[in-house]
Amino acid sequence: MVKRGQGAESALIGFSWLAALFVPTVLCAMVGFLVVRAWPSWGAPLFFGDTPALAALTGRAPVFDGIWPACVGTLSLIGLASLIAIPLGVATGVFLAEYAGRRTRMAFSLAVDLLAGVPSIVVGLFGFALILLLRRTFAPDANTGLLLSALCLAVLALPYLINATRLTLETLPAGLRLAGFGLGLTRWQVVSRLLLPASLRGVSGGVVLAVARAAEDTAAILLTGVVANAGMPGSLTGKYEALPFHIYYLAAEYQTPAELAQAFGSALVLLCLTGTLFVVARVFQRRLHRTWSGMEVAAWR
Amino acid sequence: MRPKEPCDRRGADRLPSALLCGAACVSAALVFSIFAFLAAFSWPVLSGGQLGSLLSWHWRPLAGEFGILPMVVGSLCLAGSAMAVAYPLALGVCCFVHGCGPAWAARPLFVSIRFMTSVPTVVYGLVSVFLLVPVIRGAFSGSGFSWLAAALVLAVLVLPTVVLIIDTQFQAVRAEVRVAAAAVGLAPSQEMRHLVLPLSRRGLAIAAVLGFGRALGDTLIPLMLAGNAPRVPGSLLDSLRTLTAHIALVVATDSHSAAYNSLFACGLILFLATLCVNLGVLSVRGRRLG
């Protein structure tokens, strides 16, 4: 005899299997399709076109058909955005975890959550508005460019850094703080000599995730100075190329099958980049977990 | 280290505290300056007589008509339909990971979900343009660039977000009920249906709200896949334009200053939607369980 409700549970199991099979199917279809379509273009010409690789790498010869300028553009975006976001994000995270009182912390967390939820196109619009403002006031010839995009990407990456730093500090064992204060250290000494070194791995994991976020974003840079053909990035205020935009542009405007193959090649390069960053971040976070697992977690405040 | 006087130490501690506090203030101020910029730049449209033109159903910049209502409807339709696909799937995946599926499959499945969070949006877009759109074009008539295509891909994009939130909730609930459920002899699926799902109501609501916000804010998927016609879609196979894609398209093509001002109004709407999502999450979190 079938018990009441057993049908519902079988349905639940069946449906969960269906959903579980859906994920690897989509993932395999996507990666497989990408690899198959990118395969014909894979190799040195994808990056450097007709220019010899060594000359292109050292900057002695310009690259016309390859995606090397877009790669360099993306790398410089990541570098600049990290320079802006890492000090600010880590400092904010430390402040929220170690210095702020309960109320301050709640207010700031709301602001950080809000920042994390702001769509990247709105952040791009913010950068665009910044330039309009500069033009109307004291820099009439201001224009969108590399630095502005990096600033927008830094804004996007900031919540990741703040939350990673804060969470890591809050999961450190309470004994670490008590020992520090017991030795008569000031709060800053406890933070800078004990807590930050101990949380280095967690914070690094957050940094890597934030970098991956900055590397993949397209919407914000779309409004703040990325173009299809700029060559190597020359100056902080100049136009530049970037991988995600290059892919988007080629997907919409490709003229020849070779250009389309290049779009797939670039997508595979970008996927490898973000995939690598993802793995590195995971390794950092798991090591951190292993180091402190089994110890009494902070009951601090 | 050389011992110092207590008061001297407090003095040395003041500078780092001030710097950290300053950094936190800068971070928080960013949110407010984004809001202030959007509000200030859309003020000419909102305060002047153009409000009627903004709240109309026609986007014809050359004729001086800057109606953004079709884009508002488009954004809501797309985000809603994407969540309607993604949410049940995410729930299914979480049930599978938490006992409804075999234990050996749970870990690899979860790793692939985490991996999905790292896949760039533009890669989803590119693959879909050349894999999914031709399928839709073949199965139905039309160009294939449609509400349907964008909704399906957007569902895949928000899936990991929703899964990770529900999973956190399930973990917390199962830590409490697991032993009791096993003691009274419940099968994993029974435990899921009668204990974990009802007790996770709050987390499930938060996942829905945050997932919706994420779907609303995405630019690239609708821009690449939805066809971008600025009108209200009549069916799933029609083309639609979202607020996010609208901003990207107009900045790329137009240089009309009145058109720009209406864009800041679009940005403001998106920002306020984010605010509503966060307040929604706060109110769900603040309420008592059950």
Side-chain angles (χ1 to χ4, degrees):
Chain A
M1 201 178 87
V2 178
K3 280 185 224 149
R4 196 173 67 85
Q6 212 165 36
E9 275 134 30
S10 319
L12 188 65
I13 293 183
F15 181 71
S16 71
W17 270 94
L18 211 66
L21 286 176
F22 174 79
V23 173
T25 313
V26 166
L27 215 51
C28 289
M30 190 194 71
V31 175
F33 185 73
L34 196 58
V35 170
V36 168
R37 295 292 293 265
W39 200 248
S41 71
W42 196 254
L46 171 67
F47 290 92
F48 305 115
D50 301 331
T51 316
L54 198 64
L57 279 175
T58 50
R60 273 179 290 138
V63 175
F64 292 111
D65 295 331
I67 60 168
W68 182 242
C71 294
V72 175
T74 287
L75 291 178
S76 27
L77 270 181
I78 295 175
L80 280 172
S82 310
L83 274 184
I84 302 168
I86 291 175
L88 200 58
V90 172
T92 306
V94 169
F95 177 79
L96 290 186
E98 299 298 324
Y99 285 79
R102 215 176 132 265
R103 285 220 165 148
T104 326
R105 201 156 29 149
M106 271 171 63
F108 275 91
S109 310
L110 183 62
V112 173
D113 284 348
L114 193 53
L115 192 62
V118 173
S120 68
I121 189 93
V122 174
V123 175
L125 203 57
F126 167 65
F128 189 72
L130 207 61
I131 286 297
L132 290 184
L133 182 74
L134 281 178
R135 272 192 204 160
R136 284 182 200 174
T137 52
F138 47 84
D141 52 351
N143 210 338
T144 53
L146 189 61
L147 188 62
L148 184 70
S149 295
L151 191 69
C152 290
L153 292 182
V155 172
L156 285 175
L158 202 57
Y160 289 74
L161 285 162
I162 296 174
N163 285 333
T165 309
R166 201 184 134 184
L167 275 179
T168 315
L169 286 175
E170 280 171 358
T171 48
L172 288 179
L176 212 54
R177 287 185 187 81
L178 293 179
F181 288 127
L183 285 170
L185 301 182
T186 64
R187 179 162 286 181
W188 172 242
Q189 284 168 332
V190 171
V191 167
S192 62
R193 307 290 164 96
L194 289 176
L195 300 183
L196 276 180
S199 62
L200 195 61
R201 286 205 182 109
V203 176
S204 318
V207 167
V208 177
L209 279 185
V211 165
R213 176 79 184 82
E216 71 110 9
D217 192 83
T218 323
I221 62 175
L222 206 64
L223 304 190
T224 53
V226 72
V227 289
N229 278 305
M232 304 286 271
S235 73
L236 284 181
T237 51
K239 305 277 183 197
Y240 62 95
E241 293 178 33
L243 269 182
F245 179 77
H246 192 68
I247 298 166
Y248 163 71
Y249 176 80
L250 283 183
E253 317 263 328
Y254 71 99
Q255 308 283 336
T256 61
E259 280 189 354
L260 188 57
Q262 194 192 53
F264 280 102
S266 321
L268 196 57
V269 172
L270 188 63
L271 187 64
C272 289
L273 177 67
T274 55
T276 312
L277 291 173
F278 167 77
V279 171
V280 171
R282 292 294 296 161
V283 168
F284 274 131
Q285 283 167 347
R286 291 187 60 184
R287 283 227 188 103
L288 178 89
H289 191 69
R290 213 178 299 148
T291 311
W292 297 115
S293 67
M295 294 192 71
E296 191 195 346
V297 164
W300 183 245
R301 275 193 304 230
Chain B
M1 197 170 42
R2 195 165 54 90
K4 291 176 194 163
E5 291 293 317
C7 60
D8 182 29
R9 285 200 316 216
R10 238 177 280 128
D13 227 24
R14 213 169 282 152
L15 181 67
S17 313
L19 282 179
L20 291 175
C21 184
C25 291
V26 169
S27 305
L30 275 173
V31 182
F32 295 105
S33 50
I34 290 176
F35 175 73
F37 265 85
L38 293 174
F41 276 88
S42 56
W43 187 247
V45 188
L46 296 180
S47 66
Q50 290 169 293
L51 194 62
S53 136
L54 195 69
L55 296 178
S56 86
W57 296 96
H58 300 288
W59 173 261
R60 295 192 204 101
L62 294 178
E65 291 186 79
F66 302 106
I68 57 170
L69 287 184
M71 282 57 112
V72 175
V73 173
S75 275
L76 291 176
C77 285
L78 186 62
S81 53
M83 274 308 282
V85 179
Y87 195 76
L89 275 177
L91 208 52
V93 168
C94 287
C95 290
F96 188 89
V97 172
H98 286 278
C100 286
W104 56 265
R107 226 186 119 62
L109 179 64
F110 210 70
V111 169
S112 34
I113 289 280
R114 282 192 183 279
F115 174 73
M116 280 171 81
T117 60
S118 79
V119 174
T121 320
V122 69
V123 172
Y124 281 125
L126 177 75
V127 169
S128 309
V129 167
F130 296 96
L131 192 63
L132 180 67
V133 169
V135 169
I136 292 180
R137 195 185 300 146
F140 311 98
S141 57
S143 69
F145 290 95
S146 56
W147 178 0
L148 180 65
L152 289 177
V153 182
L154 200 54
V156 174
L157 187 78
V158 297
L159 181 69
T161 313
V162 183
V163 168
L164 291 178
I165 301 169
I166 298 182
D167 172 71
T168 313
Q169 179 74 26
F170 276 13
Q171 267 179 13
V173 170
R174 281 194 83 206
E176 288 176 22
V177 303
R178 189 187 233 149
V179 176
V184 296
L186 290 185
S189 59
Q190 290 172 320
E191 179 198 335
M192 182 57 69
R193 181 177 162 221
H194 295 290
L195 290 174
V196 178
L197 280 178
L199 286 173
S200 304
R201 227 175 281 163
R202 250 195 310 189
L204 293 176
I206 290 177
V209 174
L210 280 178
F212 186 79
R214 175 97 170 77
L216 205 61
D218 189 74
T219 310
L220 225 51
I221 297 301
L223 186 61
M224 291 177 89
L225 296 170
N228 296 320
R231 55 186 155 78
V232 178
S235 80
L236 270 176
L237 295 171
D238 267 3
S239 151
L240 66 70
R241 189 189 279 198
T242 63
L243 284 169
T244 49
H246 181 64
I247 296 174
L249 282 169
V250 175
V251 170
T253 53
D254 269 333
S255 52
H256 211 279
S257 88
Y260 278 162
N261 285 337
S262 83
L263 288 190
F264 291 109
C266 295
L268 196 62
I269 293 175
L270 286 169
F271 186 90
L272 292 178
T274 312
L275 187 65
C276 289
V277 164
N278 275 281
L279 293 179
V281 169
L282 266 190
S283 78
V284 174
R285 216 171 257 160
R287 218 184 296 149
R288 284 186 165 278
L289 199 135

